[in-house]
Amino acid sequence: MNKRIAVLVSGTGSLLDAMIKDGLPIDLVVADRPCRGIDVVTLSAQPAIPAAVLYRASYGKGLAFKRELYTAWLTDFLERFGIDIVVMAGFMTVLSPMIFEPRHYGGRILNSHPSLLPLFKGDRAVRDALASGVQITGTTIHVATPEVDSGPILAQEEVPILDGDTEGTLHERIKQVERVLYPKTIRAFAAHL
Ligand code: GAR
């Protein structure tokens, strides 16, 4: 694979870990905050993967956070590394439209979302599926667009909701599926880019 891949993380990095174990060549990892994904996973990779935390001025809906400036900073950083494909793996910052422009990374940003889109968009997807009473949820791998949790779907897989499931147990079973499906989907996407 000759495409240069960057993975963006904010959390435990278990999807990133699965990609590394799958042997997916990853050229750069970027986090928007200190997190296990950047501290543990990138350092344990052999050879270690270049990694950076691009800190935000604030998290949540803080006024100090300038989304456009942050997105420009990240975009510039990725371009300087010669990145071709941007993989969001539990990255929790919503990026502004400029990165999705064709002259930057439009059509080349992938996202995974823990629901069967278009159902249960947003950052409470697992909780919302559980609360809704549906018996099946799952995961979606899609091309990201400026509209959050939208964009062309590349792969989906169902996960049944079991009696006694909590948000934690259900999300972990969804992630088990994502850890196999995401690396496979990235490889297929990169091969056809
Ligand atoms: C995954 O379930 C991924 O689909 C989800 O975050 C988890 C990351 O897990 N992504 C989103 O919710 C994006 N809105 P990890 O931190 O263990 O890799």
Side-chain angles (χ1 to χ4, degrees):
M1 192 186 306
N2 54 2
K3 300 290 185 301
R4 287 175 62 80
I5 296 174
V7 180
L8 311 185
V9 296
S10 303
T12 59
S14 75
L15 300 188
L16 169 63
D17 203 19
M19 291 169 197
I20 293 168
K21 291 192 171 115
D22 183 83
L24 195 73
I26 297 169
D27 298 281
L28 177 68
V29 176
V30 179
D32 61 354
R33 66 199 75 191
C35 59
R36 183 182 172 276
I38 200 102
D39 296 335
V40 178
V41 179
T42 57
L43 284 175
S44 65
Q46 291 299 328
I49 301 168
V53 181
L54 301 194
Y55 286 86
R56 292 175 43 159
S58 65
Y59 295 87
K61 302 203 186 317
L63 291 176
F65 178 54
K66 305 273 187 266
R67 197 174 305 282
E68 284 73 23
L69 271 179
Y70 186 87
T71 302
W73 184 31
L74 173 63
T75 304
D76 184 59
F77 196 76
L78 296 168
E79 288 175 345
R80 280 167 193 264
F81 264 83
I83 296 301
D84 299 302
I85 299 172
V86 181
V87 171
M88 298 200 278
F91 187 67
M92 301 313 277
T93 291
V94 174
L95 298 172
S96 68
M98 72 151 296
I99 195 169
F100 300 97
E101 291 172 9
R103 69 194 167 106
H104 294 300
Y105 286 103
R108 293 185 286 134
I109 305 176
L110 304 186
N111 184 45
S112 72
H113 183 74
S115 77
L116 296 174
L117 290 173
L119 296 175
F120 309 118
K121 295 181 179 184
D123 59 6
R124 297 176 171 189
V126 179
R127 199 183 315 172
D128 290 348
L130 208 48
S132 76
V134 294
Q135 293 184 326
I136 292 175
T137 185
T139 184
T140 304
I141 315 293
H142 66 99
V143 179
T145 55
E147 196 186 334
V148 174
D149 299 331
S150 301
I153 291 174
L154 301 174
Q156 277 187 317
E157 198 166 318
E158 294 182 350
V159 175
I161 296 178
L162 306 179
D163 284 347
D165 255 340
T166 62
E167 184 180 354
T169 59
L170 178 57
H171 199 171
E172 178 53 28
R173 281 209 319 289
I174 294 171
K175 287 196 205 183
Q176 283 170 10
V177 171
E178 293 181 309
R179 289 174 196 132
V180 178
L181 189 63
Y182 209 179
K184 195 167 84 176
T185 307
I186 296 164
R187 281 182 190 281
F189 180 83
H192 291 100
L193 193 66

